[in-house]
Amino acid sequence: MLHYIQALLQQMDLSSALDAALRVVSVMLCLTIHETCHGLAALSLGDSTAKSMHRLSLNPLRHIDWLGLLMMFTMGFGWAKPVPVDPRYFKNPKKGMALTALAGPVSNFMLAFSLILLSKGIYLYADYTLVWDVIFNFLLSTAVLSIGLGLFNLLPIPPLDGSKVLGALLPDRAYFMLMRYERYGMLLLLLLSFANVGGGLISRAIAAVYTAMINLLY
């Protein structure tokens, strides 16, 4: 009996360690794709700042902010090191910033779509094994995380991407006023998270987008 309990505890520890490791991989994948696409969008619009600072990379260590990563696990949201963007290189700075910002969330939705499509391939063509089961669940859970990251960043609160998109629709005076308070945006996000304001709405939005993708692909 004692041996059985010890074996069960070891299995639980291994399972927890595997779950934690896969969670880290998921977060790093979603954040890395998000930030790299910001840089690629800026480059396509004439700003090579991210390229010159070696931020057009799929190496997650170039993008990870360790405090932001910790917040992702403990608070349910987090951040990476922002890709440097210089709007002076854009022909239309406000529009260029909006398109550069929008590239991050769009990349997360595209990543989620691709992961769900891969999971369908496993579902249809792979024989059931423990390894394929782990991969299948990893793909779907990462898709949910990527959708969540994309939707969260579309909130029109500085410094999130949604504020840059909103800014393109505002008069210049209102735009600069919005950007002036960017430094306080993260504090506001932390307060909203502690107060659990809007969490249910975001969760429902994530579920709706995920369900729509599943229904489209399955």
Side-chain angles (χ1 to χ4, degrees), residues 118-196:
L118 286 174
S119 75
K120 181 180 180 181
I122 293 174
Y123 177 77
L124 292 176
Y125 303 113
D127 294 331
Y128 179 83
T129 65
L130 181 58
V131 172
W132 279 122
D133 185 59
V134 170
I135 295 173
F136 178 82
N137 287 300
F138 168 77
L139 293 174
L140 292 182
S141 62
T142 305
V144 172
L145 179 64
S146 192
I147 291 169
L149 183 62
L151 290 175
F152 176 74
N153 272 280
L154 285 176
L155 293 176
I157 302 174
L160 299 180
D161 298 325
S163 66
K164 310 295 193 306
V165 177
L166 174 63
L169 305 176
L170 297 175
D172 289 346
R173 184 177 180 181
Y175 173 76
F176 290 120
M177 183 177 293
L178 179 66
M179 293 301 105
R180 184 183 304 168
Y181 293 101
E182 185 172 9
R183 70 185 70 180
Y184 305 109
M186 194 56 68
L187 178 60
L188 175 60
L189 289 170
L190 287 172
L191 291 175
L192 291 176
S193 178
F194 278 120
N196 196 28

Side-chain angles (χ1 to χ4, degrees), residues 27-210:
V27 170
M28 287 190 169
L29 175 62
C30 295
L31 291 177
T32 298
I33 294 294
H34 182 102
E35 294 300 327
T36 299
C37 286
H38 278 319
L40 290 172
L43 181 63
S44 70
L45 293 169
D47 177 21
S48 60
T49 305
K51 181 180 179 180
S52 66
M53 297 182 70
H54 308 289
R55 293 297 302 277
L56 300 185
S57 172
L58 293 179
N59 178 359
L61 296 180
R62 293 191 181 275
H63 304 288
I64 294 301
D65 180 297
W66 295 107
L67 177 59
L69 182 64
L70 178 63
M71 290 295 294
M72 180 74 82
F73 284 100
T74 57
M75 301 299 297
F77 79 93
W79 58 87
K81 289 188 293 186
V83 164
V85 177
D86 189 341
R88 293 176 298 178
Y89 288 104
F90 299 145
K91 292 181 179 179
N92 184 326
K94 284 171 59 177
K95 182 179 178 181
M97 287 299 296
L99 292 174
T100 298
L102 194 60
V106 169
S107 72
N108 285 126
F109 299 137
M110 292 176 65
L111 174 61
F113 191 87
S114 300
L115 294 174
I116 294 173
L117 187 60
L118 286 174
S119 75
K120 181 180 180 181
I122 293 174
Y123 177 77
L124 292 176
Y125 303 113
D127 294 331
Y128 179 83
T129 65
L130 181 58
V131 172
W132 279 122
D133 185 59
V134 170
I135 295 173
F136 178 82
N137 287 300
F138 168 77
L139 293 174
L140 292 182
S141 62
T142 305
V144 172
L145 179 64
S146 192
I147 291 169
L149 183 62
L151 290 175
F152 176 74
N153 272 280
L154 285 176
L155 293 176
I157 302 174
L160 299 180
D161 298 325
S163 66
K164 310 295 193 306
V165 177
L166 174 63
L169 305 176
L170 297 175
D172 289 346
R173 184 177 180 181
Y175 173 76
F176 290 120
M177 183 177 293
L178 179 66
M179 293 301 105
R180 184 183 304 168
Y181 293 101
E182 185 172 9
R183 70 185 70 180
Y184 305 109
M186 194 56 68
L187 178 60
L188 175 60
L189 289 170
L190 287 172
L191 291 175
L192 291 176
S193 178
F194 278 120
N196 196 28
V197 175
L201 181 62
I202 292 177
S203 295
R204 289 192 292 273
I206 293 171
V209 174
Y210 176 74

